[in-house]
Amino acid sequence: MGSAEMCRDLAPEIDRLLRASNSYIKKKAALCAVHIVRKVHELGELFAPAARSLLTEKNHGVLHGAVVLITELCERNPEALERFRKTVPDLVQIMKGLVISGYSPEHDVAGISDPFLQVRILRLLRILGRHSETASDAMNDLLAQVATNTDSTKTVGNAVLYETVLTVLDIKSESGLRVLAVNILGRFLLNNDRNIRYIAMMSLQKIVGTDHNAVQRHRGTIVDCLKDHDASVKRRALELSLALVSASNIRSMMKELLLFLSSCPPELRAQTASGIFNAAERYAPSQRWHIDTILHVLTTAGGDVRDETVPNLIQLITNTSELHCYTVHKLYRALLTDISQQPLVQVACWCIGEYGDLLLKGECQETEPAQVTEDDVLDSLETVLQSHMSAPATRGFALTATMKLSTRITDNVDRIRSIVSIYGSCIDVELQQRAVEYNALFKKYDHMRAAVLERMPVIEKNSLGQTNGESAVEAIKAVQPATVKQGEPPLPLQPANQVCDLLDLLGGSEEPLQPSSVQSGTASGLPINNSSTAGGDLLDLLGGFEPTPAAPAPAVTVYEKDGVNLTLLCEKHSDSGLTVTLTASNSNDSDISSFTLQAAVPKSVQLHMKAPSGDFLPARGAAKVTQMVVLNNPNKVNLKMRVRISYTSQGSACQDTVQIDSFPGL
Amino acid sequence: MQKKSKTLLLLIHQLLCIYQFNYHLRKMRFLLLFSRQGKLRLQKWFTPISEREKKKIIRDMTNMVLARQPRSSNFLDWKDLKIIYKRYASLYFCLAIESQENELLALEVIHRYVELLDKYFGNVCELDIIFNFEKAYFILDEFLMGGEIQETSKQIVNRCIESSDMLQETMEEYMSKPAF
């Protein structure tokens, strides 16, 4: 606070001193004014006229101070900028004097006359010419002269040239001058002095967006700088190389970048890896090349890649179905050599789980097929499971992959069973849960195992904002109904509006009925993990509840009409919990398709519908459809249930409702 | 009259520099000189910062610069600044500038300062700076002020120092004259 006041008080004094006769005083006063302007911007107006007059000074110190002051005024105030544009001819004159004049011992530095002042004037010219055609025109000649005449053997000459180049590129210069500037930068790139190369790359970075082609011409030199020993130079070269990658040079550039990745300093690794991924995604010439590149990065710098690399890669792999065989072979070989790079191991396990049958088949078009036995594959997965280098997530991947192989291999299913049961008592809770669920899959739900563990469908690219867990859920919804019917799977999950219809239909009932939670897919036990093991998530449907013992209660027919027969079987599994199994059969001569059931119960009762076994009822009772409904009645109200049946028979859709009031076995 | 306005001006400027809170948009932030063993010989701060921060910066700079390979470039990136360093005999000169400034010119600034010291001390070495550090600071204050170059002419800076030396000698002579 006090200092702003001080500035205001002293400003007139400074202004007076700016006009003093002594140049020593004027010089210092100018720099004082610079500070005042920085502190209290409005006072800039006060100094503008004095600053203007100081430009006529001969003394370089004063001149320098004046230029700094004017620069400060112009940077802060656009009006001042407009007014000072008129000084461009004066500034050009001063520069010309400095450049052309003979040797002046007082200011000379290695043949350049007062480089400090020259650079300052060039900086001011840049600011004045930035958005003005007329101002830029006025300085074109001068800039060309400085660019060509300045001796570039010493650092000082290069300093002036550098500033000139920056000015040319910033103002509205004519194209010939721009080309000259970029050529100077190109010359800098070839200079032996590291400093010069460093600043050349920095300047090229600034213009790579606008003058892309001009910079591309120097790509070779820039890529060579990647091999320089200096860390700063390497960093600049990396940034510039990544900016120069385009569709035409992607293959050669990627070779260089991958080479760089293997030898680069650790602090640049993450940046390099993500840069490579971006470039590969944008310009990949073929899918195979893309996968190869990502695998190469994972083997060299697996520890430095971002987390979403794994799901992205998996998604990429599922999308290129023709390369599944090739991919799984490559990944298997990578797994054999090294299991320390976690992202790579995760992807490899996933692929082996999914495409293990291709691996075992022993034939592959794209690459040398590996003669692997089932034991070899299981060995490698077990190594990952037991290795202390594997992260918990990785072991989860490996366990799921082992489980998936149970449907893809023929001989060693027992071995898988034993592995899975061992991990049922693992300390890691996540692994234990999975193992227990897989065990259940073997024992109680063996009939579903094949369907549950079959090939994943192609994963849709996640839209922004969707987490991986959600996409896993979507995948589950798609896979579920494929248990019985292999064709297009009509989802058994009815949308919410149909539930409302149910209520409308049931209309004036005494007890308000609770709408059924018809989403049988999203059981509360569905964990959304970061690792997209959708196969594993699927099994949690079955895991959430204790498997109920099959109670020998009689099945009661609750509905019989038009050849459709619905029976009900009740089992009590706890004080308030009850599992109802609805079985449907079809005694018509024609098949019934799209068979679905909906249920509604009183408000205080909780209802949970499991996935039906299918929706197709073949004619003459050839097969049945079962659906389990879990009810929880904590308040012990009178249990009623309304069931709506809908199906398609002989091309026409039918619907019916039945109310169940008595539950045998309750 | 001249001397009065001169001193007044100097005073004003020093005060303004001390109370300057606007850190940005000045060419240079600080200048450090340290030996190869990391001993600090000179420190000039162009912005007001706390003692603790100063110590931290000094530690960071010495560690960074001394760790550099012999034939690497003279430029480093540190936070939002650029660090330009150069070794002259046994001393490292370390100058911090804003990121949009001209690094090659900063090298020239360092070189000019060394030349000024050399002219004044005659073949300057680290010992000169150790034993006459106040002169080193005076020379710096005539060359740079508030993070900007003050005087671009070597001779004028030297003349200023010489005249202030002369003034000092005259004063000393005067003070040591026996008073009768």
Side-chain angles (χ1 to χ4, degrees):
Chain A
M1 267 318 215
S3 48
E5 289 299 317
M6 202 192 304
C7 287
R8 273 183 241 274
D9 288 340
L10 293 171
E13 187 69 25
I14 300 293
D15 190 45
R16 186 178 65 80
L17 290 170
L18 275 175
R19 298 168 215 276
S21 49
N22 188 325
S23 37
Y24 186 78
I25 294 177
K26 273 191 280 199
K27 164 180 86 180
K28 299 223 182 219
L31 287 178
C32 279
V34 169
H35 283 298
I36 292 178
V37 169
R38 282 179 186 158
K39 190 70 192 167
V40 183
H41 309 320
E42 305 85 57
L43 291 174
E45 286 299 307
L46 180 61
F47 297 119
R52 185 87 157 74
S53 63
L54 282 177
L55 277 183
T56 53
E57 283 285 324
K58 291 279 172 281
N59 182 304
H60 283 215
V62 180
L63 208 46
H64 189 277
V67 172
V68 175
L69 178 57
I70 296 175
T71 313
E72 199 61 38
L73 291 172
C74 292
E75 271 175 353
R76 301 214 173 249
N77 190 346
E79 287 167 15
L81 182 63
E82 284 300 321
R83 262 185 286 136
F84 277 106
R85 281 226 176 92
K86 301 192 200 91
T87 62
V88 170
D90 298 325
L91 291 166
V92 169
Q93 210 52 38
I94 298 171
M95 268 300 281
K96 273 216 177 93
L98 288 172
V99 173
I100 300 174
S101 74
Y103 177 73
S104 149
E106 215 181 317
H107 302 289
D108 183 87
V109 180
I112 313 267
S113 191
D114 206 343
F116 304 109
L117 182 59
Q118 285 196 24
V119 167
R120 258 341 208 158
I121 294 179
L122 285 168
R123 172 81 58 80
L124 179 57
L125 285 175
R126 191 190 323 165
I127 294 170
L128 292 175
R130 203 171 263 161
H131 298 295
S132 161
E133 288 278 351
T134 40
S136 308
D137 283 336
M139 34 178 117
N140 263 324
D141 286 339
L142 169 72
L143 292 171
Q145 191 171 23
V146 175
T148 39
N149 285 355
T150 310
D151 178 24
S152 60
T153 47
K154 293 279 181 70
T155 310
V156 61
N158 286 323
V160 176
L161 274 177
Y162 179 45
E163 197 70 32
T164 315
V165 165
L166 288 180
T167 304
V168 167
L169 294 174
D170 220 9
I171 64 170
K172 293 183 187 294
S173 50
E174 55 181 24
S175 56
L177 198 53
R178 274 189 104 84
V179 168
L180 181 61
V182 177
N183 285 345
I184 292 178
L185 287 178
R187 243 179 34 226
F188 278 179
L189 268 182
L190 297 166
N191 196 311
N192 282 330
D193 189 344
R194 275 209 180 83
N195 298 333
I196 313 276
R197 269 184 280 160
Y198 178 89
I199 57 156
M201 282 194 278
M202 267 212 335
S203 329
L204 287 172
Q205 182 86 36
K206 290 191 196 126
I207 58 165
V208 76
T210 47
D211 296 81
H212 192 93
N213 292 332
V215 184
Q216 279 281 4
R217 246 178 279 139
H218 302 288
R219 200 180 70 235
T221 329
I222 294 169
V223 167
D224 279 337
C225 287
L226 280 172
K227 305 190 186 98
D228 198 295
H229 294 298
D230 183 289
S232 327
V233 172
K234 271 193 175 142
R235 183 192 298 269
R236 294 272 158 251
L238 173 68
E239 283 175 16
L240 203 48
S241 306
L242 288 174
L244 285 177
V245 173
S246 75
S248 48
N249 58 31
I250 179 75
R251 279 192 200 262
S252 48
M253 286 297 278
M254 197 50 78
K255 241 189 292 196
E256 294 290 340
L257 285 169
L258 289 172
L259 202 62
F260 176 68
L261 185 64
S262 46
S263 59
C264 78
E267 61 267 11
L268 289 178
R269 268 193 162 164
Q271 195 184 351
T272 316
S274 58
I276 290 177
F277 284 150
N278 284 339
E281 207 170 300
R282 286 221 300 267
Y283 302 114
S286 73
Q287 299 274 36
R288 177 173 161 171
W289 182 93
H290 195 173
I291 290 179
D292 278 342
T293 310
I294 298 187
L295 288 179
H296 193 138
V297 175
L298 286 180
T299 27
T300 4
D304 296 301
V305 297
R306 284 202 311 258
D307 292 330
E308 57 262 24
T309 315
V310 171
N312 282 344
L313 179 56
I314 289 178
Q315 189 233 312
L316 180 66
I317 292 175
T318 53
N319 274 326
T320 49
S321 46
E322 63 275 13
L323 288 174
H324 283 166
C325 194
Y326 167 75
T327 315
V328 73
H329 272 94
K330 257 201 113 148
L331 283 169
Y332 177 68
R333 287 210 185 90
L335 199 63
L336 286 177
T337 33
D338 174 25
I339 59 169
S340 60
Q341 305 276 32
Q342 297 304 302
L344 184 66
V345 174
Q346 287 175 4
V347 176
C349 288
W350 191 89
C351 279
I352 292 175
E354 277 293 303
Y355 311 120
D357 47 335
L358 294 175
L359 186 62
L360 294 166
K361 233 187 332 190
E363 54 184 49
C364 182
Q365 293 162 330
E366 306 267 340
T367 180
E368 183 75 27
Q371 302 304 324
V372 269
T373 64
E374 295 175 359
D375 272 318
D376 293 332
V377 177
L378 288 173
D379 280 339
S380 57
L381 285 176
E382 244 189 310
T383 322
V384 174
L385 266 174
Q386 291 163 353
S387 164
H388 60 282
M389 287 190 281
S390 302
T394 314
R395 293 167 88 194
F397 268 96
L399 189 61
T400 309
T402 314
M403 190 59 198
K404 283 188 200 170
L405 282 177
S406 70
T407 49
R408 287 151 176 70
I409 63 178
T410 43
D411 297 329
N412 288 12
V413 184
D414 287 330
R415 181 173 170 186
I416 294 181
R417 221 191 281 254
S418 61
I419 294 176
V420 165
S421 61
I422 288 172
Y423 278 90
S425 43
C426 173
I427 291 181
D428 185 333
V429 179
E430 167 73 24
L431 278 180
Q432 188 183 50
Q433 182 181 355
R434 287 185 195 218
V436 166
E437 288 161 5
Y438 296 157
N439 254 330
L441 199 57
F442 267 122
K443 296 202 173 75
K444 304 252 166 32
Y445 302 101
D446 208 34
H447 57 277
M448 297 185 76
R449 189 161 52 91
V452 165
L453 295 175
E454 70 167 22
R455 278 282 163 81
M456 291 284 299
V458 172
I459 301 174
E460 292 301 316
K461 182 97 187 164
N462 286 341
S463 55
L464 284 167
Q466 255 191 333
T467 62
N468 241 332
E470 290 179 35
S471 74
V473 171
E474 282 167 33
I476 294 167
K477 288 185 184 163
V479 169
Q480 255 180 0
T483 41
V484 176
K485 189 166 181 184
Q486 291 296 326
E488 18 81 339
L491 295 175
L493 316 168
Q494 306 289 337
N497 52 17
Q498 286 204 327
V499 177
C500 295
D501 287 346
L502 186 66
L503 293 181
D504 287 342
L505 197 69
L506 305 173
S509 140
E510 309 90 54
E511 286 168 22
L513 294 174
Q514 180 203 34
S516 66
S517 74
V518 201
Q519 285 203 28
S520 47
T522 51
S524 53
L526 189 74
I528 312 253
N529 336 17
N530 287 331
S531 52
S532 62
T533 50
D537 293 344
L538 198 61
L539 298 184
D540 295 326
L541 294 171
L542 312 166
F545 300 84
E546 311 286 57
T548 57
V556 173
T557 304
V558 292
Y559 174 85
E560 181 136 45
K561 201 168 146 191
D562 294 338
V564 179
N565 175 295
L566 189 68
T567 57
L568 179 115
L569 191 73
C570 287
E571 288 156 24
K572 237 176 120 58
H573 57 77
S574 73
D575 200 21
S576 60
L578 167 75
T579 304
V580 171
T581 309
L582 296 161
T583 313
S585 64
N586 172 18
S587 57
N588 286 327
D589 283 350
S590 55
D591 300 342
I592 282 177
S593 60
S594 311
F595 185 89
T596 49
L597 293 168
Q598 284 171 296
V601 286
K603 210 175 188 180
S604 58
V605 181
Q606 288 145 19
L607 177 139
H608 185 86
M609 287 188 90
K610 303 276 190 157
S613 63
D615 67 335
F616 184 79
L617 286 169
R620 289 180 270 271
K624 294 190 195 308
V625 165
T626 43
Q627 181 155 21
M628 295 218 286
V629 182
V630 180
L631 299 169
N632 193 16
N633 188 3
N635 297 349
K636 303 268 184 1
V637 302
N638 201 4
L639 196 59
K640 293 181 205 291
M641 187 157 85
R642 257 185 214 159
V643 178
R644 179 153 90 175
I645 306 161
S646 27
Y647 59 90
T648 307
S649 170
Q650 288 170 314
S652 56
C654 308
Q655 252 183 23
D656 208 348
T657 320
V658 60
Q659 172 139 355
I660 305 166
D661 295 320
S662 67
F663 292 80
L666 201 79
Chain B
M1 180 57 211
Q2 212 187 50
K3 275 200 196 127
K4 202 168 105 179
S5 44
K6 219 199 273 189
T7 45
L8 173 67
L9 197 52
L10 272 168
L11 190 65
I12 291 168
H13 201 268
Q14 296 288 38
L15 284 170
L16 281 174
C17 288
I18 292 168
Y19 292 110
Q20 180 65 256
F21 287 112
N22 191 356
Y23 293 2
H24 305 289
L25 295 174
R26 61 179 65 235
K27 192 169 190 292
M28 297 169 259
R29 291 278 186 97
F30 57 81
L31 172 67
L32 303 173
L33 265 73
F34 46 86
S35 70
R36 272 203 289 203
Q37 287 77 38
K39 278 199 84 75
L40 193 67
R41 298 293 176 211
L42 192 144
Q43 50 177 313
K44 182 76 186 170
W45 306 91
F46 297 112
T47 59
I49 17 183
S50 62
E51 276 303 317
R52 230 177 81 202
E53 255 197 79
K54 280 186 196 171
K55 284 198 170 40
K56 182 167 186 309
I57 291 176
I58 292 166
R59 219 183 17 245
D60 285 344
M61 289 299 119
T62 42
N63 287 338
M64 264 186 3
V65 171
L66 293 173
R68 291 283 274 181
Q69 300 291 332
R71 263 190 294 276
S72 32
S73 74
N74 295 84
F75 310 138
L76 282 168
D77 291 303
W78 181 76
K79 296 198 184 169
D80 61 330
L81 300 174
K82 284 199 256 217
I83 309 296
I84 319 294
Y85 74 93
K86 190 135 194 241
R87 198 184 118 226
Y88 286 88
S90 59
L91 271 182
Y92 281 93
F93 286 70
C94 178
L95 179 65
I97 59 174
E98 295 284 338
S99 41
Q100 65 264 37
E101 293 293 329
N102 187 332
E103 298 95 325
L104 295 176
L105 202 71
L107 272 176
E108 285 303 309
V109 166
I110 294 176
H111 191 74
R112 171 59 67 88
Y113 182 49
V114 171
E115 280 179 334
L116 290 168
L117 288 171
D118 194 51
K119 186 80 193 299
Y120 180 76
F121 287 111
N123 271 335
V124 67
C125 61
E126 193 180 341
L127 285 173
D128 288 322
I129 301 184
I130 295 172
F131 289 119
N132 300 297
F133 62 89
E134 78 278 7
K135 290 285 190 311
Y137 276 109
F138 291 159
I139 295 173
L140 188 60
D141 283 338
E142 283 299 323
F143 174 43
L144 306 172
M145 185 191 267
E148 301 283 347
I149 298 169
Q150 199 190 141
E151 179 57 62
T152 54
S153 157
K154 280 186 272 189
Q155 290 160 350
I156 292 181
V157 174
N158 277 320
R159 250 181 267 151
C160 289
I161 299 294
E162 278 162 20
S163 67
S164 73
D165 277 351
M166 200 100 78
L167 192 67
Q168 194 177 347
E169 272 174 33
T170 338
M171 286 305 294
E172 277 171 4
E173 265 180 37
Y174 181 74
M175 295 305 281
S176 63
K177 268 208 175 83
F180 284 107

